[in-house]
Amino acid sequence: AMPRAVITAAGNYTLSEPLIVPLSIYETKLTRANLQVEVEEAVYTGTQVTPRVTVTYLGGTSPQTLSEGRDYIVSYGANVKSGKNKGSVTISGTGVLYGGSVTVKFEIMKKPIAY
């Protein structure tokens, strides 16, 4: 569960219900220096491409493959145009282990022309 602060009223103050404020407390901040993000080959489709990513944390004693949903969430840029660095994916730490976010650019290959 996400760390949180629960605020209740005291003295002459009343609240209909306690205020719950999520706290972004985590053990490790994900950075470009401690993260390796491998992006599957992406080919132009005319619509947003969302290639699979493999995320490895390099800041520990040995490289550790992180799990999407548990350790991080993925969000994609527009990713519609082809070309070098035209695609982007952001890895955002989640849960109590990882926080911070890293955005990585990748190439969207031109669609091969079939004759």
Side-chain angles (χ1 to χ4, degrees):
M2 180 80 161
R4 61 193 182 144
V6 179
I7 301 168
T8 56
N12 294 332
Y13 299 97
T14 58
L15 287 172
S16 56
E17 57 187 48
L19 294 174
I20 297 175
V21 181
L23 301 175
S24 55
I25 299 172
Y26 46 81
E27 288 182 22
T28 304
K29 182 174 182 178
L30 300 178
T31 64
R32 285 187 174 278
N34 67 17
L35 211 60
Q36 176 183 323
V37 181
E38 291 176 48
V39 181
E40 217 174 57
E41 185 177 280
V43 178
Y44 173 82
T45 61
T47 59
Q48 182 190 44
V49 294
T50 55
R52 288 180 45 182
V53 294
T54 302
V55 179
T56 307
Y57 176 67
L58 304 174
T61 50
S62 61
Q64 181 180 351
T65 301
L66 301 186
S67 174
E68 184 178 352
R70 183 191 71 198
D71 299 322
Y72 66 92
I73 53 173
V74 178
S75 55
Y76 293 93
N79 298 356
V80 177
K81 296 181 176 165
S82 65
K84 191 168 177 66
N85 293 329
K86 291 294 187 187
S88 71
V89 60
T90 300
I91 306 302
S92 300
T94 186
V96 293
L97 288 179
Y98 301 101
S101 63
V102 173
T103 299
V104 175
K105 294 196 178 296
F106 59 89
E107 182 172 2
I108 298 177
M109 313 290 279
K110 284 186 167 39
K111 195 175 189 173
I113 297 172
Y115 291 99

